[in-house]
Each structure stands twice: as C-alpha cells, then as structure tokens.
C-alpha cells in the first residue's frame, strides 16, 4: 500500500512497540518473509517501518477534512489466537475528504450455513467454513466472494451482492451485541427479553446471536443479512476506536443498512482532529438494516434510564 499510495496517511491499531517490548520481532519478520511474493524487498527494518506507518505518532492531521486509510489488521484478537476455531476480521477503509468511500473486510473462518442456529462465534462445522471477502464502494453496493474461490482462482468473475435483511419488527429481530456487554446493560432490555434459541422466540423477545471476537464481525453479519441489529453501548471509561467501525460502516450502508449513534447522528470521524483515531458517539453505536433504525432510536431514547 505504501508503494502504491505513498502520499496517503495510514491510521492503524498496531505499531512495532509491542513487538519490540515482547521480543516478537523475529517471529513476525519470519512469517512476513515466508508469505512475501517474489520481488518484495523484505527486511526487518522495512517490515517494522511499514507497521509503524499507521502508529499513533506517525501523522498529525489538520482540522479540515482529510484523506487517509484506516486499517485494523486483526479485529477480534481472541478469535485470532484460537486459530481455526473462531471468527476474526481484517478490515481496511479509505476515507476521502472526510467520507468513507471504500471498504474491504476479510473473515477467514466465515462459514456458509445461514440458519439462525449456525450464527455462532466458534465454528464447529469445519466443512462449511470457506472464509469470505467483503468489498464495498460508495454508490456501487457491497459484494462478497468466498476466500476459497479467490485462492483457487475459481469463478474469478463471480461476486454476490449483499443486502441487509428485511425484518420490519424489533420483536423477533436478530440482534448481536459486544461480547464485553450484557443484554441487561442495554436500553432495549427494558422492552424485550433476549433469547438465544430461535425455536423459542415469542412475544416480547428478540433473538440474541453470539458472534464473538470484535466489532467488525457484527458489521459483516448485518451487511450480509445474518443479523438485523448490532448495538454497542459506550461505557463511561471506554474509548471507541475508528478502526473498529470504519470499514463496517460503508459495508452496511452500501448493503442498505444504517449506522448512527444512539441519538441518530452520523459518527464523526473528524472529531479527533489531529490523530483521527477516536470517535465519540452519543450513548453508543447503532447498526441496523435501516427499516428498524428509527424505531430503535425511539426505544433507546425512551428507555435510556436503564443505562
């Protein structure tokens, strides 16, 4: 990316300080060299410089709208540590003059079974797991392709367009939340009980899906129609990072969904004027299929005392 777009800054979660302090430099360099293609100039110095390009002090922005990349190399670190067992996502977004215009997500352990009971964080059915790439461009929709097809070069022109689901009622909707938060901590819990069994959804219930390991997996679920809603509360002590949301936002928008804070305002990626690393949503983040958005905003507003 640095070779192709050297003038565009990068905002990323990782830098090399962690690797250096934990004696991991050699291991990372070995992996990168093993995966590098012919012709790549791969040295320890080049690798560490590339990692640091998106670090906290790598670039200082001016207050006006900017153009830059946002990268999350591993969203869902706990899933990545589990290896082949759990979901994690690699996400990259391009912001042009303050607006997200391009997004790419990769989820190596995504699997194809779309039944409600199969939407889980730990994938038990090894045979159905093919991985997925999701690509979105402003005005062009959101599209997916199996990683297995890309790696085998099969069906090179076959991409599937994504659409959010058509759920019109909050009751019975498929909802996902951060693994660090409980349903009782969120305002909708004052109106609906959460059930995890799709066979036992009745009046006053929502279906709470388990999809561990990071925020971007939840965006991917909404954009692909597997979930109707992703709701995240903002804790008083929490910091919400741009790389956990940027690529997910354009993928959901281009699939027909909507993303705002709990008051219905768009997330402001320029609020952190000099670093563009933080966002400050009021109440939290709400991601929906669009049809449910205004209804849930109203419910959140009327039940905010639950928080």
């Amino acid at each position: 990316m640095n070779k192709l777009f050297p003038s565009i800054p990068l905002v990323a979660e990782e830098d090399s300080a962690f690797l250096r302090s934990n004696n991991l430099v050699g291991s990372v360099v070995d992996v990168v060299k093993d995966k590098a293609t012919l012709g790549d100039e791969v040295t320890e110095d080049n690798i560490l410089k590339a990692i640091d390009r998106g670090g906290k002090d790598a670039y200082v922005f001016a207050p006006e709208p900017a153009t830059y990349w946002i990268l999350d190399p591993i969203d869902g670190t706990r899933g990545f540590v589990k290896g082949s067992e759990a979901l994690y996502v690699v996400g990259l977004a391009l912001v042009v003059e303050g607006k997200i215009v391009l997004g790419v997500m990769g989820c190596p352990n995504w699997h194809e079974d779309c039944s409600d009971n199969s939407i889980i964080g730990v994938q038990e059915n090894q045979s159905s797991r093919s991985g997925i790439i999701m690509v979105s461009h402003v005005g062009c929709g959101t599209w997916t392709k199996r990683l297995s097809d890309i790696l085998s070069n099969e069906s090179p022109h076959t991409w599937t367009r994504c659409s959010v689901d058509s759920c019109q009622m909050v009751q019975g909707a498929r909802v996902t939340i951060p693994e660090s938060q409980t349903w009782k901590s969120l305002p909708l819990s004052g109106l609906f009980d959460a059930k995890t069994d799709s066979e036992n959804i009745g009046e006053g219930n929502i279906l709470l899906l388990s999809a561990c390991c990071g925020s971007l997996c939840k965006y991917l679920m909404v954009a692909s129609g597997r979930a109707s809603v992703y709701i995240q509360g903002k804790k008083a002590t929490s910091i919400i990072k741009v790389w956990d949301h940027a690529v997910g936002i354009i993928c959901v928008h281009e699939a027909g969904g909507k993303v705002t804070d709990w008051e219905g305002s768009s997330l402001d990626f320029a609020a952190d004027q000099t670093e563009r690393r933080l966002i400050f949503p009021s109440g939290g983040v709400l991601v929906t299929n669009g049809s449910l958005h205004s209804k849930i905003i109203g419910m959140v507003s009327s039940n905010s005392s639950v928080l």
Side-chain angles (χ1 to χ4, degrees):
M1 190 165 62
N2 190 34
K3 290 181 180 179
L4 295 175
F5 309 103
S7 64
I8 301 180
L10 173 68
V11 174
E13 182 175 12
E14 313 293 348
D15 60 29
S16 68
F18 177 83
L19 302 180
R20 297 176 192 273
S21 62
N22 290 274
N23 296 318
L24 293 172
V25 171
S27 298
V28 171
V29 169
D30 288 343
V31 171
V32 174
K33 286 183 176 180
D34 181 61
K35 301 298 182 182
T37 58
L38 290 174
D40 287 342
E41 186 181 354
V42 180
T43 65
E44 178 178 310
D45 185 57
N46 286 345
I47 292 170
L48 296 179
K49 283 182 178 179
I51 294 173
D52 285 335
R53 183 170 175 249
K56 190 176 188 305
D57 301 318
Y59 193 86
V60 177
F61 291 89
E64 58 266 14
T67 296
Y68 53 100
W69 297 99
I70 299 175
L71 172 67
D72 194 342
I74 303 175
D75 184 63
T77 306
R78 280 177 290 175
F80 181 75
V81 170
K82 292 179 182 178
S84 63
E85 295 182 357
L87 301 178
Y88 61 92
V89 174
V90 178
L92 177 69
L94 177 62
V95 179
V96 175
E97 296 299 314
K99 296 185 178 183
I100 307 170
V101 300
L102 176 69
V104 181
M105 284 195 281
C107 184
N109 292 336
W110 187 262
H111 70 125
E112 305 225 87
D113 187 352
C114 293
S115 63
D116 289 334
N117 289 329
S118 73
I119 306 170
I120 55 178
V122 176
Q123 308 300 334
E124 297 178 356
N125 186 352
Q126 299 285 326
S127 62
S128 68
R129 188 176 64 244
S130 61
I132 193 175
I133 288 284
M134 179 174 281
V135 179
S136 184
H137 188 285
V138 63
C140 298
T142 297
W143 299 79
T144 60
K145 189 169 186 172
R146 291 184 301 180
L147 272 176
S148 57
D149 287 348
I150 294 173
L151 294 174
S152 64
N153 203 29
E154 294 181 5
S155 306
H157 305 297
T158 303
W159 288 79
T160 301
R161 187 159 191 167
C162 292
S163 296
V164 295
D165 75 7
S166 58
C167 182
Q168 300 288 323
M169 302 292 292
V170 180
Q171 177 177 302
R174 296 172 295 176
V175 180
T176 182
I177 65 176
E179 56 275 12
S180 61
Q181 299 180 9
T182 65
W183 180 248
K184 290 295 184 183
S185 72
L186 300 169
L188 293 184
S189 64
L191 298 172
F192 302 98
D193 290 328
K195 302 293 184 181
T196 56
D197 184 358
S198 61
E199 301 296 325
N200 294 315
I201 299 298
E203 185 175 351
N205 298 152
I206 59 93
L207 178 61
L208 186 62
L209 306 177
S210 174
C212 69
C213 311
S215 300
L216 294 183
C217 177
K218 281 84 163 178
Y219 278 97
L220 202 155
M221 292 172 70
V222 175
S224 63
R226 291 197 180 187
S228 312
V229 178
Y230 167 43
I231 183 168
Q232 174 186 351
K234 183 179 184 298
K235 299 178 182 179
T237 57
S238 67
I239 297 174
I240 298 183
K241 308 293 183 61
V242 296
W243 46 78
D244 290 329
H245 298 272
V247 64
I249 290 172
I250 187 169
C251 287
V252 168
H253 280 173
E254 288 297 317
K258 191 169 183 177
V259 183
T260 69
D261 65 17
W262 284 11
E263 293 186 351
S265 300
S266 298
L267 305 187
D268 184 3
F269 281 77
D272 181 8
Q273 291 188 351
T274 59
E275 294 186 343
R276 300 295 202 275
R277 303 176 72 82
L278 307 178
I279 53 177
F280 307 97
S282 178
V285 178
L286 178 63
V287 184
T288 76
N289 62 2
S291 300
L292 298 176
H293 209 87
S294 60
K295 297 175 185 177
I296 294 178
I297 290 290
M299 292 175 181
V300 168
S301 178
S302 63
N303 287 274
S304 57
S305 60
V306 174
L307 296 177

